[in-house]
Amino acid sequence: MLDSDLADLYEVPTKRLNEAVKRNLARFPTHYMFQLTNEEFESLRSQIATSNKTRGGRRYMPYVFTEQGVAMLSTVLNSEKAIQINIKIIDTFVQMRQWALDNKELTKRVADIENYLINYAKDNNKEIEKIYEAIDLLMDRTKPRKIGFNT
């Protein structure tokens, strides 16, 4: 989750959330929190129509928190609101994981269909290549030949 989204949920300014995190960086290893790259940041800015640097938009690349990072935020944000929001976010992650586990069969069926289509497309590609070869052969045979004497 983006730092700005979490700050909105916790009802604190993004700057304050990031300050609390920076004061406790030892609690946030790279698999808990990371910063977007320039390319990811530019893509995100264009998708959410954030204004450019000179017109009040974000001036720094946002931090992104994994599930573990969100859980760790409750240790650095010591408000009742932060605790309640953290519980809801973690419950949501648990529900998402459970949904994924419950739908393994659906995932497998989608993968099977994908594999079938890939294999089917391969067969079609071979047939289409044969058609193109036949058309090329016909085009060669129907090309007008030079008439007259060769010197």
Side-chain angles (χ1 to χ4, degrees), residues 37-141:
T37 65
N38 286 329
E39 184 179 313
E40 292 166 333
F41 181 57
E42 287 303 317
S43 174
L44 179 67
R45 282 174 27 138
S46 68
Q47 288 177 17
I48 61 173
T50 302
S51 62
N52 68 25
K53 293 178 183 181
T54 60
R55 293 189 224 132
R58 286 197 71 145
R59 289 166 177 79
Y60 305 101
M61 290 181 281
Y63 287 99
V64 180
F65 294 84
T66 64
E67 179 181 356
Q68 295 82 9
V70 170
M72 189 59 71
L73 277 173
S74 65
T75 65
V76 298
L77 299 173
N78 294 323
S79 71
E80 187 61 34
K81 179 78 168 180
I83 293 168
Q84 294 305 314
I85 293 298
N86 256 47
I87 290 169
K88 289 179 182 178
I89 292 171
I90 296 303
D91 286 346
T92 302
F93 278 120
V94 169
Q95 289 173 355
M96 288 170 37
R97 190 178 306 109
Q98 187 60 48
W99 184 88
L101 290 172
D102 290 345
N103 290 293
K104 275 187 178 179
E105 184 178 329
L106 178 62
T107 303
K108 184 186 178 316
R109 290 181 68 192
V110 169
D112 290 345
I113 291 170
E114 183 180 11
N115 288 334
Y116 172 79
L117 290 174
I118 288 170
N119 291 331
Y120 180 72
K122 282 182 186 175
D123 293 342
N124 280 347
N125 285 343
K126 290 176 188 173
E127 296 301 319
I128 291 171
E129 284 176 24
K130 288 180 186 176
I131 292 169
Y132 281 134
E133 287 173 13
I135 290 171
D136 287 342
L137 184 63
L138 287 172
M139 293 297 283
D140 282 342
R141 289 185 181 168

Side-chain angles (χ1 to χ4, degrees), residues 10-24:
Y10 296 137
E11 296 177 357
V12 297
T14 304
K15 183 177 181 175
R16 298 296 169 235
L17 182 134
N18 287 334
E19 285 174 352
V21 169
K22 288 177 185 176
R23 283 193 303 265
N24 296 280

